[in-house]
Amino acid sequence: MVDDRVVIFDTTLRDGEQSAGIGLTTQEKLEIARQLEKLQVDVIEAGFAASSPGDFDAVKTISAEVRTPTIASLARCVPGDVDRAWEAIKDARHPRIHVFISSSDVQIMNQLRKNPEEVLDMAVSSVERAKRYCDDVEFSPMDATRTDMEYLYQLVEATIAAGATTINIPDTVGYAMPWEFAERISKIRQNVPGIDKVVLSVHCHNDLGLAVANSLAAVEAGARQVEGCINGLGERAGNASLEEVVMGLKTRKDILGVSTGVDTRQIYRTSRMVSDITGFPVQANKAIVGANAFRHASGIHQDGVLKERTTFEIMDPQSVGWPSNALVLGKLSGRAGLRSRLEELGYKLNPDELNVAFEAFKELADRKREVSDADLEALMSSQRRTVDVPSIYELERVQVSSGNHEIPTATVTLIAPDGTKTTDAATGTGPVDAVYEAINRIVKVPNKLTEFRIDSVTEGIDAIGDVTIRIQKDGNTYVGRGSDTDILVASANAYMNALNRLLAIEGVSEPATTT
Ligand code: KIV
Ligand code: ZN
């Protein structure tokens, strides 16, 4: 008989951050970790401490600041990684070291270039080493779904004997079918001595679109920890979407008979925050958190829902934190109205933060007749960016001239950290190019623009434009976001956000010499 509580393990900050094109500052990771704490996940995998100084710093900071959940760091089965993981998490109230090693023949032979006995020894000695530091040790045989069953039993049995307290079975390449994966979990439960003394976990990737289905099938077969990422972020096609797993377990408790400790009312807010900070949009038809997830277009469905919500809704949108009404604010709205609307959207501001938000709101309301929830979210994101990404350079002014008989020309003024103001101008193939060229003439950090996207936050001619860009330098990608009712200002803000992030992550706090 296994426990009916499923441990929810969030790896947005580790496997999610491995998605191509995400590079977060420690401050941003901390902000996401704090929100995950509000969501009440049980474990936060805060990073892979040995992989880079930035990851180490983020894991260490989160360990010190986020006290309720268990904080895990990933480590390869090498002594240096295990030591570094411990160094990063040792201040956590509930630390966990998560060690992993490839277990399938294809990976052992071609990637590790070792034999299965050597891998088993490395796994056992690393679990033992981790155990000397910390009671809570997780072991993952990577590519477990393509691993020989007998070898998998041996590896799992040996690492349990070495002290592992959680055994995680990853479908690393998203290869398994739900019924096959469930059978593998059942067989592990039947054939590995000691398995009933540890938590059996699963970690599914989405290459065939089956990560959530596989996770739920594994729970039915007795797994009691599920790993995943908010919005299904992660390597390649992503990891199991944590909000879908949690709502699957909750909505179908009738057949699965298990529960989680997650406060599902925090799901919407967590999803929006992760999307905003990572610059990865949530597709409109995404389950649970997509813009259309609870929208009914057909007349028959609308009629049904108006008569009785459950006719066409299997979940209450408010149970996952969708704002309850679409109250619209305007320029006559006061501070109290703004505060209460922001609270409804999940933003609890102190008086100083409210003052700053109110100023920005008034400025927006002067330009826009109606300020919707989406506008408020865009406004709060802009404010968050100024806190999370240090303003090494600040944009003071941008002016652009363009037209069908003009050469697009931009003039910008930037303020450097020492307060020096520099103005420069440039032409470009278009107005955005001209703005970016003018900024480049001042900042002088060579980089390549790899993505430029502009979305409208709401409908209407006065809508806020939300710009997301990605720039690359030395193989690393940095995201930048900016929003404004003027799309050229939004584009300039997005570029400044990406450049400041690049400078902060690369550890460049001094400006390049300006001429
Ligand atoms: O997908 C995978 O196998 C992993 C492991 C490190 C757990 O992310
Ligand atoms: Zn993974």
Side-chain angles (χ1 to χ4, degrees):
M1 183 65 189
V2 286
D3 193 1
D4 68 358
R5 171 78 150 70
V6 175
V7 174
I8 297 297
F9 178 116
D10 180 278
T11 183
T12 308
L13 297 175
R14 200 277 299 168
D15 224 343
E17 219 239 353
Q18 268 169 240
S19 309
I22 298 188
L24 306 181
T25 62
T26 294
Q27 191 54 36
E28 286 172 322
K29 290 184 188 173
L30 179 60
E31 187 142 6
I32 292 177
R34 288 205 169 111
Q35 179 58 30
L36 291 169
E37 184 177 36
K38 284 196 196 140
L39 181 65
Q40 293 179 31
V41 301
D42 302 285
V43 186
I44 296 176
E45 187 161 55
F48 183 173
S51 69
S52 70
D55 248 42
F56 179 85
D57 185 50
V59 179
K60 198 164 177 54
T61 306
I62 292 168
S63 297
E65 302 275 332
V66 179
R67 308 304 282 166
T68 319
T70 296
I71 307 296
S73 171
L74 188 67
R76 286 168 302 178
C77 282
V78 291
D81 268 31
V82 176
D83 298 349
R84 196 84 175 131
W86 175 246
E87 191 53 34
I89 56 165
K90 66 178 184 212
D91 294 330
R93 185 175 288 159
H94 310 288
R96 173 180 294 188
I97 301 177
H98 176 191
V99 291
F100 76 101
I101 193 162
S102 295
S103 57
S104 62
D105 283 347
V106 61
Q107 292 194 356
I108 290 180
M109 286 184 325
N110 299 302
Q111 195 187 10
L112 294 181
R113 306 233 157 99
K114 301 212 175 281
N115 63 48
E117 292 70 37
E118 288 172 301
V119 165
L120 194 131
D121 286 347
M122 287 169 78
V124 168
S125 60
S126 299
V127 170
E128 283 171 351
R129 190 177 188 95
K131 195 72 181 181
R132 286 200 285 275
Y133 288 127
C134 156
D135 275 345
D136 189 346
V137 176
E138 173 167 334
F139 172 70
S140 293
M142 185 156 84
D143 204 14
T145 48
R146 294 191 301 168
T147 296
D148 171 74
M149 247 347 213
E150 290 303 323
Y151 181 62
L152 192 57
Y153 297 153
Q154 271 180 37
L155 202 49
V156 171
E157 184 179 350
T159 47
I160 294 174
T165 42
T166 296
I167 294 291
N168 179 43
I169 304 298
D171 183 23
T172 305
V173 290
Y175 179 69
M177 292 285 139
W179 53 92
E180 182 192 25
F181 193 49
E183 193 187 346
R184 195 161 271 252
I185 296 300
S186 301
K187 284 190 170 163
I188 291 171
R189 289 186 60 216
Q190 284 154 18
N191 291 297
V192 177
I195 195 76
D196 51 331
K197 306 283 181 304
V198 301
V199 175
L200 185 54
S201 166
V202 289
H203 173 114
C204 299
H205 280 266
N206 207 28
D207 300 66
L208 291 173
L210 293 169
V212 171
N214 283 336
S215 306
L216 296 175
V219 169
E220 206 192 8
R224 286 299 177 263
Q225 173 175 286
V226 177
E227 304 192 354
C229 296
I230 300 298
N231 298 339
L233 289 180
E235 281 274 17
R236 307 180 308 278
N239 287 62
S241 145
L242 216 53
E243 63 278 10
E244 291 178 24
V245 170
V246 167
M247 290 314 289
L249 296 177
K250 182 170 170 157
T251 309
R252 296 313 310 273
K253 192 164 190 229
D254 56 330
I255 53 169
L256 289 160
V258 293
S259 55
T260 72
V262 168
D263 178 356
T264 60
R265 291 163 308 170
Q266 292 291 335
I267 284 179
Y268 171 85
R269 169 115 187 75
T270 314
S271 163
R272 288 296 176 274
M273 179 190 280
V274 168
S275 167
D276 181 46
I277 291 181
T278 59
F280 270 79
V282 175
Q283 77 195 50
N285 61 335
K286 158 105 178 48
I288 319 291
V289 289
N292 290 350
F294 294 96
R295 236 179 226 169
H296 302 275
S298 112
I300 295 177
H301 290 206
Q302 287 173 352
D303 178 54
V305 169
L306 286 173
K307 288 177 175 147
E308 163 54 44
R309 188 187 61 74
T310 56
T311 49
F312 288 95
E313 272 181 5
I314 58 166
M315 291 165 279
D316 180 347
Q318 286 177 39
S319 73
V320 291
W322 276 82
S324 59
N325 63 53
L327 192 84
V328 169
L329 302 179
K331 68 182 194 184
L332 297 180
S333 308
R335 205 175 288 260
L338 176 68
R339 189 186 53 226
S340 110
R341 195 66 208 135
L342 286 175
E343 272 174 13
E344 169 94 15
L345 294 172
Y347 299 93
K348 292 221 168 20
L349 305 187
N350 65 35
D352 287 345
E353 289 166 338
L354 182 64
N355 283 343
V356 178
F358 190 62
E359 283 309 309
F361 163 75
K362 280 289 182 198
E363 212 184 287
L364 180 62
D366 266 346
R367 284 185 278 155
K368 245 183 139 264
R369 210 166 40 85
E370 293 184 333
V371 179
S372 67
D373 287 350
D375 292 323
L376 289 180
E377 303 237 12
L379 190 142
M380 294 312 293
S381 313
S382 308
Q383 309 231 312
R384 178 166 55 224
R385 268 171 236 139
T386 60
V387 176
D388 287 352
V389 182
S391 249
I392 295 170
Y393 281 94
E394 203 182 310
L395 175 74
E396 193 194 59
R397 195 180 163 84
V398 53
Q399 197 184 333
V400 186
S401 111
S402 71
N404 58 350
H405 295 292
E406 300 257 334
I407 294 174
T409 309
T411 308
V412 299
T413 303
L414 303 189
I415 308 177
D418 62 2
T420 327
K421 285 189 189 179
T422 311
T423 300
D424 214 327
T427 56
T429 51
V432 174
D433 187 42
V435 170
Y436 288 12
E437 284 302 322
I439 292 173
N440 285 342
R441 287 175 65 88
I442 302 174
V443 179
K444 295 186 171 57
V445 175
N447 68 79
K448 188 164 163 247
L449 181 71
T450 55
E451 186 184 327
F452 178 91
R453 203 181 67 234
I454 181 153
D455 300 297
S456 158
V457 169
T458 48
E459 290 135 25
I461 196 70
D462 57 356
I464 292 182
D466 193 13
V467 174
T468 305
I469 65 160
R470 285 192 162 76
I471 59 174
Q472 253 183 23
K473 181 169 186 291
D474 303 332
N476 296 323
T477 302
Y478 305 89
V479 67
R481 310 279 308 264
S483 41
D484 199 277
T485 47
D486 181 321
I487 56 173
L488 291 172
V489 176
S491 304
N493 284 337
Y495 192 45
M496 294 308 299
N497 181 242
L499 279 177
N500 280 327
R501 182 187 305 274
L502 182 159
L503 294 170
I505 291 178
E506 284 203 345
V508 184
S509 54
E510 288 304 311
T513 339
T514 52
T515 49

